[in-house]
Every structure is written in structure tokens, then in C-alpha cells.
Amino acid sequence: MGDMPDRDAAVGRQELVALLRQVATGDKAALKHVYDRTQAKLFGVALRILNDRREAEDVLQDVYLSVWMKAADFDPERASPITWLATIARNRSIDRVRQIGRRDEKDIDTALEIADASPDAFEQVSAEDERQRLAACIEELDGRTGEAIRTAFFGGVTYQELADKAEVPLGTMKSVIRRGLIKLKGCLSR
């Protein structure tokens, strides 16, 4: 049963790779499919950085314009499609923060929490044996902790959203994830 999310994720990744290849050929319908599958996550990335719905919506339009223009640059050997798309959203959002002159500490701290998907980091983290070790270590965690970590770090869901879904205080959810990350670190260092 634990293999199903991995298989679903792999199928989703393959579909996005195929769609981005179609976008690179000028296929507008493929861009619509990419948008439908990714806009919620990318909007979340932009909203976390900008903390303004209207600005995040504007950035999201820029993101998909960039995807349309740069889809041929996407290399599935260097990054997963969602990582590539999230990086575009992150960079466009940070550019917008600079453009509108809002550089308060909260925005910059939030931007730092979003993963940087540079090829070197991705190659290290996404190596198959490392992915398998990480998956095995997550499986060693109790169900609630493992699911919270998967959802937060691989699904792009905020701690607040996790707390709301689990109907627990935010501090409790942060503690669950923090303890889980400590256990993961210990497991990965074995």
C-alpha cells in the first residue's frame, strides 16, 4: 500500500514531463493542462512570498507566460517538472517583491523557506538511492508524522493548512514535524 503514492507521483511526473514537451512545440491545450494541474501549488508559492492575493495572481500569469516561452529549456534529467515550475514561481515572486519595494523581513524569511531547485542540489537529493533511503526512513515514522512531513515537504502544504486539516493547534503540528525531522535525520545518518 505504501508504493501507491510513489507510483501515482511517478505517473504525475511523467504526465507533466510529456505536457511540458508538448508546450515546447507550441501546444496551447498542453499549457492549459499544465496550468490545471499546477496552478494551485504555484499560486501557493507566490502567495507565501508576496502575502497579497492580487500580486500572487499577477505573478502566476507571468509564471505561465514564462512556461510558454521557456518550456523547451525544461530538462527532466536536471529537475522534476513541479520543481522547475515552483522555481519559476519562486523567482518571479521574489522579483515582484523587489519590484514593488516590499522587503520586509517576513517576506524574505518566507522566500528562504521555499526550496531552491538548483541542479546541483537536485542531483544530490534526487539520486535514486537517496530517494529510496528517504522513503524508507519516512516509512519508519508513525503514520501521522510521516504523512505530515510528506504533505508539507513534497506536497507544498503549509504547516497551518496541515494543522487545520488535522484539527490541532499550529504549535502542535510544528512540534510533530520537528520531532519527525529529528528522527529522519537520525535515520538518514545511519
Side-chain angles (χ1 to χ4, degrees), residues 5 9 51 168 171 174 183:
N51 201 26
V168 298
K174 285 182 177 181
K183 288 178 183 177

Side-chain angles (χ1 to χ4, degrees), residues 127-144:
E128 185 62 22
D129 60 331
E130 290 295 318
R131 187 197 65 77
Q132 289 176 354
R133 281 186 61 218
L134 179 60
C137 287
I138 289 175
E139 287 300 316
E140 289 182 17
L141 299 173
D142 69 82
R144 178 174 92 161

Side-chain angles (χ1 to χ4, degrees), residues 11-31:
V11 169
R13 176 187 170 125
Q14 291 168 352
E15 289 173 354
L16 275 176
V17 168
L19 286 169
L20 286 170
R21 286 184 178 141
Q22 291 173 311
V23 171
T25 68
D27 186 335
K28 291 179 183 175
L31 181 64

Side-chain angles (χ1 to χ4, degrees), residues 81-99:
I82 199 67
T83 299
W84 184 72
L85 293 164
T87 299
I88 293 172
R90 176 184 175 271
N91 292 342
R92 291 285 180 268
S93 298
I94 291 170
D95 289 347
R96 181 62 59 93
V97 167
R98 291 179 181 138
Q99 180 184 21

Side-chain angles (χ1 to χ4, degrees), residues 10 27 30 74-76 80 86 99 104 116-117 127 131 153 162 174 182:
D27 186 335
F74 170 67
D75 180 358
S80 72
Q99 180 184 21
D104 69 28
D116 181 1
R131 187 197 65 77
F153 292 96
L162 285 170
K174 285 182 177 181
I182 291 167

Side-chain angles (χ1 to χ4, degrees), residues 65-162:
L65 181 59
S66 291
V67 170
W68 178 252
M69 305 291 283
K70 297 181 178 190
D73 295 340
F74 170 67
D75 180 358
E77 298 299 315
R78 296 181 65 181
S80 72
I82 199 67
T83 299
W84 184 72
L85 293 164
T87 299
I88 293 172
R90 176 184 175 271
N91 292 342
R92 291 285 180 268
S93 298
I94 291 170
D95 289 347
R96 181 62 59 93
V97 167
R98 291 179 181 138
Q99 180 184 21
I100 60 179
R102 283 202 329 233
R103 295 185 184 193
D104 69 28
E105 198 171 323
K106 180 179 182 277
D107 290 335
I108 299 303
D109 287 346
T110 303
L112 294 174
E113 291 174 8
I114 297 173
D116 181 1
S118 64
D120 290 336
F122 179 79
E123 289 168 7
Q124 292 172 8
V125 174
S126 69
E128 185 62 22
D129 60 331
E130 290 295 318
R131 187 197 65 77
Q132 289 176 354
R133 281 186 61 218
L134 179 60
C137 287
I138 289 175
E139 287 300 316
E140 289 182 17
L141 299 173
D142 69 82
R144 178 174 92 161
T145 303
E147 183 60 26
I149 288 175
R150 272 189 219 93
T151 305
F153 292 96
F154 302 117
V157 176
T158 66
Y159 289 6
Q160 184 63 59
E161 291 167 335
L162 285 170

